[in-house]
Amino acid sequence: MLKIKDLHAKAGGKAILKGLSLEVKPGEVHAIMGPNGSGKSTLSYVLAGREGYAITGGGVEYQGKDLLAMEPEVRAREGVFLAFQYPVEIPGVSNKYFLKAAFNAMRKHRGEPEMDAGAFLRFVKEKAKLVEMDPSFLNRSVNEGFSGGEKKRNEILQLAVLEPTLALLDETDSGLDIDALKSVAGGVNRLRDPKRSVVLITHYQRLLDYVVPDFVHVLSGGRIVKSGGKELAHQLEKEGYGWIEAAGKAAA
Amino acid sequence: MDRGGGEGGGVTPILQQGVDFAARFAAAKDRLPGAGLPWLASAREKASTDFERQGPPRSRRADWRFTPVDAVLGTDFEPAGRPKSHSGFAGKALCPLTFHRLVLGNGRLLPERSRYCDLPAGVSVSSLAQALQDDPGSLREDLGRDLSAEGLPFACLAAALFGEGVVVRVARGARLDRPLHLLLACDDTESGRPQMAHLRLVIILEPGASLELIEESLGGGRAPFWTNLLTTVRIGAGAGLKHYRLQRENALGSQTSATLVELGRGSRYESHAFSFGGALLRADLRVRLAAEGAQCSLNGLCLVRGTETADHHTVVEHAAAGGITRELYKAILDERGRFVFDGMVHVKPGAQKTDASLYNKNLLLCDDADVHSNPEFRIFADDVSCKHGGAIGRLSSEAMFYLRSRGIGASDARRMLVYAFGSEMIERVSLEPLRESLMAALHARMPEAAEETA
């Protein structure tokens, strides 16, 4: 599914990712944890194709193709989805229009007919119910005036509508109360499938109580410094990141 | 950002090809509508003199410095003749055909294209030439108005040279069952030469009356066409006018206009200007809130591209207490387009409790485009609430990435964001069929989607 090999990336001239390697197989859920500044968000943006990052070494293979050579919209159409840590407000573009444009762009890419407005509205209302979102949000401008929790729920709605093959969730759990966290987790769990993969990028272990990962990796200084099963998350929760960072520095 | 005015190095360009307006007036004055009326003849004479005294507006004048007026002054226009063909005019209009409709082709009323015979009681609509034959006395106050102090040279020119126009009068308490559509269309004549039309619109709403007026200009033909409009609007106490102005000239079409609005006690004026094309569009809008509790709402959306210029100058004068102004003009600029916004709200002494806001927001899609924005207040009362602001921005790269990360192609994403910026102004249009055709017209003017094939 996803093979990241010795990835090096710079932002604003500063090296952020310094030889990151990770392999995600179909059906697996991976959690990437790490302290602030370890490179978690850079990893998610580099994978989604945001401008402003220079790849200085290594590469990323997605379903056998060179992911980094694709435009961001092509990555999305090929099934890569990034749930943003800070979803963007787009005044004047209605949420349902945006979702329909995205949904139909995917279908067009797969050579399927586009869904008409009426059929799409019925479809998206069902999805909104699943993620426990009030359908009135479909008529509002994308994320405009949404609370932090509503924005995250809107990301999960997009996830449910677009049904990606590889979902990357960047701190989707931050700033959520327990009810919102449960419905976000529900949205992710519904997507779990032997053909799909999920990468959860998070600072805290909390989300992992609801979306149980197959693997946990610790990112520090732009590299994966430790990998393990779900018990690693509990260890990090108890002991913090200090021992990992100390170990990382000693190793360097 | 500024690519400079029309003049450089203090050298005045010699315009050998421009119209000699004084000679044109001398030759035409005995044949213009109402020529037999002494009061009108002297008003035309005075307006012509006022124009010559002020001189044509050049870029050395502060209020014309960003306006490439040579598009109009550098061409030898002849008075517009009958269009060669005019069958397609109404079909190209943004307005639905179900509205009451007057069509002026090249500045002449086309009765066979117009339909305004079934107006409700208390509403009269007529061509200005016809009204000057039927009841000239009723037009004396409006057509005899002294414009010398307004600083609007082209308005003086229209007052001197007008060859036609429209008079709309809505009697006390009356209203139209449907909106009134005034279509100003143009096309080539047999001569194939540049054409000009000077027109006057007279709109009178008596107390308690209401009207929705759509004034739509539509370019056509291969020769330059210049429309010069003077509109005077009087709105009586408690009356209300919604005035839509849709401008779609072609690449050789220019329009200059002056609109002078006088608002009575508790009356309302709502203007929506959509400038979607033209070599030069220059609109001067003056609104005077003459009595207590009057309200105006001035809205504008311009989409300029190529080497087009759209230039909106507005002056709102709060001359009485308790007036409300809400003004927002937006512009989308692509290629080498230019937009000029000069908005002044003038709060006179005694206009207490004035509540006014004045904003201009611009979206630049290309570095070669330029914007000159100047929202301004002059306040001579102390108990007022006045807010103003201007902004020039580009498409948000964050929003672009967000849309693309959901599979939406770059050019679709760009169009979506441009459209979102402009649609706010279209959503303010309360006439639904018009709103829909404006949405389509905005789409049609969008940046091309050629590069996106995936």
Side-chain angles (χ1 to χ4, degrees):
Chain A
M1 173 74 68
L2 181 72
K3 280 184 193 160
I4 305 174
K5 283 183 214 151
D6 194 31
L7 187 63
H8 289 72
K10 282 184 174 178
K14 188 170 176 257
I16 310 279
L17 300 184
K18 302 169 190 167
L20 189 148
S21 296
L22 176 70
E23 180 167 1
V24 179
K25 294 199 171 82
E28 293 177 352
V29 174
H30 290 242
I32 296 179
M33 303 183 70
N36 292 325
S38 58
K40 299 194 299 291
S41 283
T42 297
L43 174 63
S44 66
Y45 283 140
V46 164
L47 293 177
R50 185 180 164 134
E51 283 174 21
Y53 298 94
I55 310 302
T56 50
V60 181
E61 209 177 89
Y62 168 70
Q63 294 185 326
K65 294 178 196 163
D66 181 1
L67 184 73
L68 303 181
M70 297 180 201
E71 293 293 330
E73 59 269 34
V74 178
R75 299 181 197 197
R77 292 169 195 166
E78 291 281 341
V80 178
F81 179 93
L82 169 65
F84 281 54
Q85 185 180 4
Y86 302 108
V88 180
E89 298 193 6
I90 309 182
V93 175
S94 86
N95 216 13
K96 67 176 179 212
Y97 179 76
F98 161 64
L99 283 163
K100 179 162 135 316
F103 181 76
N104 279 332
M106 308 284 175
R107 292 186 71 130
K108 201 174 156 193
H109 184 70
R110 294 193 298 259
E112 296 166 12
E114 296 188 8
M115 197 185 269
D116 68 51
F120 182 75
L121 194 61
R122 286 190 295 277
F123 168 75
V124 77
K125 277 186 175 164
E126 280 303 310
K127 295 291 186 183
K129 209 181 280 174
L130 277 179
V131 303
E132 293 159 341
M133 179 191 260
D134 185 327
S136 69
F137 282 91
L138 297 171
N139 293 318
R140 289 173 55 177
S141 289
V142 177
N143 294 326
E144 191 185 28
F146 289 23
S147 71
E150 288 158 357
K151 284 180 180 172
K152 295 296 172 75
R153 218 183 276 264
N154 203 27
E155 294 294 288
I156 300 306
L157 174 64
Q158 293 167 42
L159 184 79
V161 166
L162 300 177
E163 298 184 326
T165 310
L166 173 65
L168 311 163
L169 285 81
D170 186 5
E171 307 258 355
T172 301
D173 51 336
S174 65
L176 294 184
D177 63 34
I178 192 70
D179 289 335
L181 185 74
K182 280 182 181 166
S183 69
V184 162
V188 178
N189 284 329
R190 263 190 298 278
L191 198 75
R192 288 184 88 154
D193 179 286
K195 292 193 196 75
R196 300 182 206 280
S197 309
V198 178
V199 177
L200 303 165
I201 295 169
T202 181
H203 187 87
Y204 302 103
Q205 180 268 338
R206 204 165 69 123
L207 178 65
L208 308 183
D209 287 342
Y210 301 96
V211 184
V212 181
D214 301 306
F215 301 95
V216 174
H217 310 276
V218 181
L219 184 61
S220 177
R223 303 169 58 200
I224 304 281
V225 293
K226 194 167 179 59
S227 297
K230 59 179 188 271
E231 66 291 344
L232 180 56
H234 291 285
Q235 189 185 353
L236 288 166
E237 187 73 4
K238 241 185 281 160
E239 299 172 24
Y241 290 105
W243 62 277
I244 295 280
E245 285 178 310
K249 271 180 196 130
Chain B
M1 207 174 276
D2 184 1
R3 63 167 188 263
E7 282 182 329
V11 179
T12 306
I14 299 163
L15 297 165
Q16 293 168 321
Q17 296 184 328
V19 179
D20 181 343
F21 293 107
R24 186 68 77 186
F25 178 65
K29 62 182 178 181
D30 294 335
R31 288 180 286 110
L32 291 168
L37 300 163
W39 62 265
L40 183 57
S42 78
R44 285 187 187 269
E45 240 3 293
K46 182 173 186 312
S48 175
T49 312
D50 287 338
F51 175 75
E52 294 301 328
R53 188 178 43 74
Q54 293 177 63
R58 297 289 188 199
S59 46
R60 78 176 78 90
R61 277 181 56 152
D63 52 344
W64 285 82
R65 83 195 129 130
F66 300 121
T67 316
V69 74
D70 285 358
V72 163
L73 295 177
T75 304
D76 187 16
F77 295 98
E78 61 182 28
R82 195 159 265 287
K84 272 199 294 197
S85 88
H86 46 67
S87 50
F89 285 168
K92 289 176 203 149
L94 292 175
C95 256
L97 298 172
T98 50
F99 294 174
H100 298 289
R101 181 171 75 247
L102 255 87
V103 181
L104 274 75
N106 287 8
R108 291 149 188 259
L109 181 72
L110 303 176
E112 69 280 15
R113 302 282 154 213
S114 305
R115 213 184 101 89
Y116 58 102
C117 51
D118 52 346
L119 295 164
V123 180
S124 88
V125 175
S126 100
S127 98
L128 183 50
Q130 189 64 45
L132 281 167
Q133 282 180 18
D134 298 345
D135 185 15
S138 68
L139 291 166
R140 192 163 174 169
E141 180 185 347
D142 295 281
L143 299 187
R145 179 169 173 167
D146 181 9
L147 300 166
S148 57
E150 301 283 357
L152 297 169
F154 285 140
C156 295
L157 199 59
L161 282 170
F162 73 89
E164 186 47 292
V166 176
V167 183
V168 181
R169 197 185 292 270
V170 187
R172 183 177 284 269
R175 56 169 58 241
L176 268 78
D177 51 339
R178 283 168 279 153
L180 175 64
H181 178 206
L182 185 56
L183 180 62
L184 310 175
C186 57
D187 208 339
D188 291 334
T189 60
E190 289 299 339
S191 80
R193 298 202 48 234
Q195 309 279 307
M196 65 175 173
H198 300 273
L199 300 168
R200 282 196 82 154
L201 310 180
V202 179
I203 318 291
I204 301 160
L205 271 66
E206 292 183 3
S210 71
L211 171 66
E212 289 175 296
L213 174 69
I214 300 122
E215 180 193 319
E216 178 173 5
S217 61
L218 187 58
R222 293 197 187 88
F225 200 101
W226 171 32
T227 306
N228 183 33
L229 271 177
L230 169 58
T231 304
T232 51
V233 180
R234 280 192 285 134
I235 304 178
L241 172 63
K242 287 187 182 176
H243 187 185
Y244 301 95
R245 305 194 64 201
L246 321 176
Q247 302 172 312
R248 285 185 302 153
E249 305 293 340
N250 68 11
L252 293 168
S254 296
Q255 188 192 95
T256 52
S257 70
T259 307
L260 310 173
V261 182
E262 180 97 2
L263 280 169
R265 181 182 298 270
S267 66
R268 300 169 316 281
Y269 176 67
E270 190 178 314
S271 152
H272 299 267
F274 294 95
S275 304
F276 286 177
L280 171 63
L281 300 172
R282 163 71 183 230
D284 283 275
L285 173 58
R286 307 274 173 93
V287 182
R288 185 161 186 270
L289 286 69
E292 266 186 44
Q295 304 180 14
C296 76
S297 156
L298 309 183
N299 308 284
L301 175 63
C302 305
L303 205 168
V304 285
R305 53 193 311 181
T307 56
E308 296 171 340
T309 296
D311 177 345
H312 284 271
H313 276 59
T314 67
V315 180
V316 179
E317 185 185 324
H318 281 260
I324 300 174
T325 292
R326 291 285 174 270
E327 181 167 355
L328 171 60
Y329 274 72
K330 283 187 161 188
I332 300 162
L333 294 106
D334 202 0
E335 296 163 343
R336 290 170 51 79
R338 174 182 287 189
F339 178 66
V340 183
F341 177 79
D342 197 296
M344 160 74 77
V345 174
H346 190 163
V347 183
K348 295 258 183 152
Q352 301 295 9
K353 305 288 182 192
T354 288
D355 175 0
S357 69
L358 166 62
Y359 291 95
N360 169 228
K361 295 177 184 172
N362 305 293
L363 178 61
L364 271 181
L365 299 179
C366 178
D367 287 341
D368 295 329
D370 69 9
V371 175
H372 304 271
S373 173
N374 184 33
E376 198 181 343
F377 272 102
R378 269 186 211 148
I379 303 172
F380 298 96
D382 51 14
D383 183 14
V384 299
S385 160
C386 294
K387 292 172 287 203
H388 74 289
I392 300 174
R394 285 162 208 281
L395 284 183
S396 151
S397 57
E398 292 268 309
M400 278 295 290
F401 175 62
Y402 192 65
L403 294 174
R404 293 178 74 191
S405 78
R406 297 304 180 244
I408 298 166
S411 68
D412 282 344
R414 192 170 121 111
R415 261 180 293 135
M416 212 182 268
L417 294 175
V418 172
Y419 187 77
F421 178 84
S423 63
E424 178 188 0
M425 304 315 292
I426 295 176
E427 273 155 21
R428 294 180 176 201
V429 170
S430 53
L431 294 170
E432 194 182 340
L434 186 59
R435 202 164 56 227
E436 282 172 11
S437 49
L438 281 165
M439 293 278 187
L442 178 59
H443 267 303
R445 290 271 295 170
M446 283 287 162
E448 301 304 328
E451 73 263 30
E452 173 73 9
T453 49

